[in-house]
């Protein structure tokens, strides 16, 4: 949810027709399937992108609190897919992991123990025997893959970005130097 709220600052620059990827440049380069899947590719004005991101943020909040969890998971996944397709230059590794997690969330029984919807309807969860769900296994494998992917990428980095003496500075170190907390920490050192 926070990641989506932070994107409101960059809608004009990266997602509107006045920004870096206007629809007049994007649409001739993509096929019909891409246009069908990308809802954001049909709207170029800033206010239209704000409405779309508002819908996506609302769906993410409802998903988080457990209201119509499966429906909100599908909406969140689709809207995230569409947002990524609108400007693929902004697609980073964290986005890929969010995308995978949202995809698996569509199949997980996330509202089985507690959800706002069950609370409002007065339903209580009944104890059930442990059942192995294929989506749960997929989620566990995804977490394993995330660590394997990130660790392998760091280990195989020819510039040894994972080491203390890396040149240039690793991305995480560069990022932390630009956060307020890290600046205070570096000031203390």
């Amino acid at each position: 949810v926070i990641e989506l709220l932070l994107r409101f600052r960059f809608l004009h620059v990266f997602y509107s027709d006045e920004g870096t990827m206007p629809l007049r440049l994007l649409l001739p380069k993509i096929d019909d399937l891409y246009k069908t899947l990308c809802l954001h590719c049909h709207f170029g004005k800033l206010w239209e992108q704000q409405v779309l991101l508002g819908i996506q943020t609302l769906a993410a909040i409802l998903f988080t609190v457990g209201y119509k969890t499966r429906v909100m998971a599908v909406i969140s996944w689709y809207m995230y897919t569409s947002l990524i397709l609108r400007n693929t230059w902004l697609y980073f590794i964290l986005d890929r992991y969010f995308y995978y997690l949202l995809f698996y969330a569509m199949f997980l029984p996330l509202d089985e123990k507690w959800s706002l919807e069950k609370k409002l309807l007065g339903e209580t969860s009944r104890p059930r025997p442990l059942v192995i769900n294929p989506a749960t296994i997929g989620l566990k494998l995804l977490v394993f893959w995330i660590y394997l992917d990130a660790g392998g990428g760091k280990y195989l980095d020819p510039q040894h970005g994972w080491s203390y003496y890396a040149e240039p500075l690793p991305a995480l170190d560069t990022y932390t130097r630009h956060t307020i907390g890290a600046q205070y920490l570096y000031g203390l050192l």
Side-chain angles (χ1 to χ4, degrees), residues 95-186:
D95 292 305
R96 184 172 73 183
Y97 297 148
F98 276 153
Y99 184 75
Y100 291 153
L101 289 170
L102 285 171
F103 179 77
Y104 280 116
M106 292 188 292
F107 305 104
L108 290 171
L110 295 175
D111 59 351
E112 190 169 308
K113 291 295 179 190
W114 185 92
S115 70
L116 180 64
E117 186 176 13
K118 281 187 177 184
K119 188 79 169 165
L120 292 174
L121 295 174
E123 295 179 17
T124 58
S125 61
R126 294 171 292 178
R128 290 179 40 180
L130 179 64
V131 177
I132 297 176
N133 185 326
T136 306
I137 294 169
L139 181 64
K140 298 285 186 181
L141 290 173
L142 174 64
V143 171
F144 175 71
W145 170 251
I146 288 171
Y147 280 104
L148 189 66
D149 184 36
K154 289 175 186 173
Y155 183 73
L156 298 173
D157 180 15
Q159 296 177 337
H160 302 288
W162 49 269
S163 70
Y164 182 72
Y165 298 104
E167 286 294 330
L169 286 175
L172 182 60
D173 184 50
T174 304
Y175 174 75
T176 58
R177 288 178 191 244
H178 293 92
T179 61
I180 294 172
Q183 289 173 359
Y184 284 120
L185 181 62
Y186 283 119

Side-chain angles (χ1 to χ4, degrees), residues 59-80:
I61 291 169
L62 293 174
F63 173 70
T64 302
V65 299
Y67 183 76
K68 303 280 186 193
T69 309
R70 193 158 313 243
V71 174
M72 292 305 138
V74 172
I75 292 171
S76 293
W77 177 77
Y78 173 72
M79 293 296 284
Y80 204 74

Side-chain angles (χ1 to χ4, degrees), residues 15-17 21 23 26 38 40 82-88:
Y15 298 101
S16 74
D17 282 341
M21 183 58 76
L23 289 177
L26 177 66
C38 181
H40 289 75
S82 178
L83 185 69
I84 288 169
L85 290 175
R86 175 62 175 89
N87 194 341
T88 55

